[in-house]
Amino acid sequence: MPTPSQPGSGATGGIPDDTGTPDAPVTGAATSTSSSTKASSTASTAETGAATAAADAAPAATPAEQTSAERTGARTTGKGASALRRRPWIAAAFLLPALVVLGALVVYPIGYSTFRSLMNADGSSFVGLDNFKEVFTDDGTLIAFRNNLIWVIVAPAVCTALGLIFAVLTEKVRWGTAFKLLIFMPMAISMLASGIIFRLVYEQDPDRGVANAMWTTVHDTFAETSPWPDARPRTDAPLSISGGAYTTRKTVDAASPAYLPLVGIPPKEASDAAPAKKPAKAEGDKVTGAVWLDFVKGGRSEHGVIDQQEKALAGIKVEAVKDGRKVAEATTADDGTFTLPAAADGAKLRLPASNFAAPYNGVDWLGPTLVTPAIIGSYVWMWAGFAMVLIAAGLAGVPRELLEQARVDGCNEWKVFRKITVPLLAPVLGVVTVTLMINVLKIFDLVYVISPGASQREANVLALQLYLKSFGGSPDQGAGSAIAVILLLLVVPVMILNIRRLRRESRR
């Protein structure tokens, strides 16, 4: 029977030999030892790989750390959600101030206006939809609807177009930032102040209104103006009126000069005129004469006679007329004298109506025809800067590579603007346009301040009509509330469109 020290022994202990290695692993403990050795080797390999990964990316967290963090976050979220479920009054306490303000400033006015629109003028009885019927049959309210439609179409389109042009051009000029500041500056002015400014700009008197001062300057550059529009003859003067012109009662001849005195001109307007001079006897058969202001401050002058202190009226046309036909013409000199050719001998002298035509006072900007476009112009002056700033922000996000590539491919600046810049800015342009549409639906201040009483009816808009109906001469708050409800119904679809657009943009 072999002993345990013998190599050929069949013992199961796996006793190591002289080299330190066990005999063949047969059963039981040997197998366990081998498995443990393999597991240790595998664990060593995993630790080596983990160490290598940690060395390659030291900041990254290990899977174990990530799992721990995820579990910690999940526990925190779960605790917060469960805390809110257990104590919902915490969320309500935080939301309550905002809900109170929202209810007081939005929900309650809307609800009360809706209720009030169903009542009569003093709120004493229920009238149903009668107020809405009155609104849609009232001429003033229909004019307000028409003007609001004009505002919604014209004002946002013009503001957006100008804002786009300004935003693009300011990138091309050296002083673009200063230019943007000038364009945006009107936004710092209130609607009321802007209305007062443009009320003065649109004044009819060119001496006060900037718009008409510029317009009349351009007009007078290309058209003749009457030199003395206020001049007229005395009742005892040798002149008779006919169709705005003044004609001598008798014929003239070369033997005696013709004297044509006029009055009606304020002395201060003629203060710079030269002194009147008596006409000299003409040579040959020519006819001479003089036109002057037959008036001296203080009244010490003889009618029909040129005194030393009286002023000449220069630039007046004098026509010689025979049988209703003009045969000669002359213009008075600085001293008021004129000379007609021999053909005027035996003719009557006529001062044409063009000498006395009223001066051109420009355009009636605040008249019934132009009052709404004029007010829209003041709105554009204010809000074009707003559109420019938003569009410039969108333009900053346009990839410059696309623009440069288009230029390299041979596109001119107009084609780059039309084919690339505008399509890429389409979402921004849509937001600006819709925002301005909401704004102009509620326009009130500019219309109320700029439009004079005589043309306020033609400039009327829904917000102004609401005010006039509710607080005007004969207040009817039932009809005014009906207009408020209609205005709300007009604004809500545009707001919903804007909100949907913003959500689509946020999801991109």
Side-chain angles (χ1 to χ4, degrees), residues 239-491:
L239 294 169
S240 61
I241 185 170
S242 176
Y246 300 107
T247 308
T248 58
R249 293 187 174 92
K250 299 179 180 180
T251 60
V252 297
D253 54 44
S256 58
Y259 291 93
L260 306 176
L262 298 175
V263 294
I265 302 172
K268 63 179 181 179
E269 292 186 10
S271 59
D272 295 334
K277 183 180 179 182
K278 294 181 179 181
K281 186 177 180 180
E283 299 178 356
D285 294 332
K286 293 181 179 180
V287 177
T288 60
V291 182
W292 78 101
L293 178 60
D294 191 17
F295 176 81
V296 176
K297 190 174 182 180
R300 295 188 299 271
S301 64
E302 184 179 354
H303 296 177
V305 178
I306 298 178
D307 297 329
Q308 292 183 355
Q309 297 180 357
E310 291 177 339
K311 298 294 186 178
L313 299 181
I316 290 185
K317 291 182 180 180
V318 181
E319 299 175 347
V321 181
K322 289 182 179 179
D323 299 327
R325 183 173 56 88
K326 182 175 71 173
V327 296
E329 182 183 72
T331 302
T332 57
D334 292 340
D335 57 4
T337 61
F338 61 89
T339 302
L340 290 167
D345 190 11
K348 289 184 178 182
L349 301 185
R350 181 175 63 190
L351 302 179
S354 59
N355 291 316
F356 316 107
Y360 180 72
N361 285 325
V363 179
D364 188 8
W365 298 104
L366 299 181
T369 304
L370 295 177
V371 61
T372 295
I375 299 174
I376 291 177
S378 65
Y379 179 89
V380 171
W381 177 77
M382 286 190 64
W383 288 86
F386 168 81
M388 177 197 66
V389 170
L390 293 187
I391 295 172
L395 190 61
V398 173
R400 303 299 169 181
E401 297 81 4
L402 294 177
L403 304 180
E404 294 301 327
Q405 183 62 43
R407 294 187 181 100
V408 170
D409 291 343
C411 294
N412 55 30
E413 291 298 325
W414 167 245
K415 189 170 288 186
V416 170
F417 173 77
R418 186 165 54 90
K419 296 291 187 179
I420 298 178
T421 304
V422 173
L424 291 176
L425 289 176
V428 179
L429 298 177
V431 170
V432 171
T433 303
V434 173
T435 303
L436 292 176
M437 288 173 65
I438 297 173
N439 186 268
V440 299
L441 278 172
K442 303 176 293 181
I443 194 69
F444 168 80
D445 315 58
L446 288 177
V447 180
Y448 184 70
V449 175
I450 295 178
S451 60
S455 59
Q456 191 178 76
R457 177 182 173 86
E458 285 71 20
N460 201 8
V461 290
L462 284 176
L464 179 58
Q465 181 69 4
L466 185 157
Y467 171 79
L468 295 176
K469 275 287 186 182
S470 300
F471 310 104
S474 55
D476 184 351
Q477 295 192 0
S481 299
I483 296 174
V485 172
I486 294 171
L487 191 57
L488 174 66
L489 295 177
L490 292 175
V491 172

Side-chain angles (χ1 to χ4, degrees), residues 100-363:
V100 170
V101 173
L102 185 67
L105 299 181
V106 179
V107 178
Y108 172 74
I110 292 175
Y112 183 75
S113 296
T114 304
F115 166 77
R116 193 68 179 79
S117 67
L118 304 175
M119 308 295 289
N120 63 355
D122 58 2
S124 59
S125 61
F126 180 80
V127 295
L129 299 178
D130 289 349
N131 288 322
F132 292 91
K133 294 178 182 178
E134 179 185 348
V135 165
F136 286 106
T137 55
D138 180 59
D139 291 339
T141 308
L142 294 178
I143 292 174
F145 273 109
R146 181 200 66 189
N147 289 337
N148 260 106
L149 180 62
I150 295 173
W151 272 88
V152 169
I153 295 174
V154 176
V158 175
C159 285
T160 305
L162 288 178
L164 176 60
I165 293 172
F166 291 153
V168 173
L169 292 182
T170 48
E171 288 196 339
K172 309 290 184 181
V173 297
R174 183 177 180 181
W175 300 98
T177 303
F179 184 77
K180 286 181 180 179
L181 178 63
L182 291 176
I183 298 298
F184 188 74
M185 191 177 295
M187 284 294 299
I189 305 174
S190 67
M191 285 279 198
L192 177 62
S194 298
I196 294 173
I197 291 172
F198 276 89
R199 184 70 173 83
L200 297 174
V201 168
Y202 292 135
E203 275 285 346
Q204 181 67 42
D205 186 359
D207 294 333
R208 298 180 60 189
V210 176
N212 269 338
M214 298 174 60
W215 189 265
T216 53
T217 300
V218 175
H219 175 273
D220 293 345
T221 302
F222 300 99
E224 294 184 1
T225 58
S226 56
W228 306 101
D230 298 325
R232 67 180 188 278
R234 292 182 184 276
T235 55
D236 57 350
L239 294 169
S240 61
I241 185 170
S242 176
Y246 300 107
T247 308
T248 58
R249 293 187 174 92
K250 299 179 180 180
T251 60
V252 297
D253 54 44
S256 58
Y259 291 93
L260 306 176
L262 298 175
V263 294
I265 302 172
K268 63 179 181 179
E269 292 186 10
S271 59
D272 295 334
K277 183 180 179 182
K278 294 181 179 181
K281 186 177 180 180
E283 299 178 356
D285 294 332
K286 293 181 179 180
V287 177
T288 60
V291 182
W292 78 101
L293 178 60
D294 191 17
F295 176 81
V296 176
K297 190 174 182 180
R300 295 188 299 271
S301 64
E302 184 179 354
H303 296 177
V305 178
I306 298 178
D307 297 329
Q308 292 183 355
Q309 297 180 357
E310 291 177 339
K311 298 294 186 178
L313 299 181
I316 290 185
K317 291 182 180 180
V318 181
E319 299 175 347
V321 181
K322 289 182 179 179
D323 299 327
R325 183 173 56 88
K326 182 175 71 173
V327 296
E329 182 183 72
T331 302
T332 57
D334 292 340
D335 57 4
T337 61
F338 61 89
T339 302
L340 290 167
D345 190 11
K348 289 184 178 182
L349 301 185
R350 181 175 63 190
L351 302 179
S354 59
N355 291 316
F356 316 107
Y360 180 72
N361 285 325
V363 179

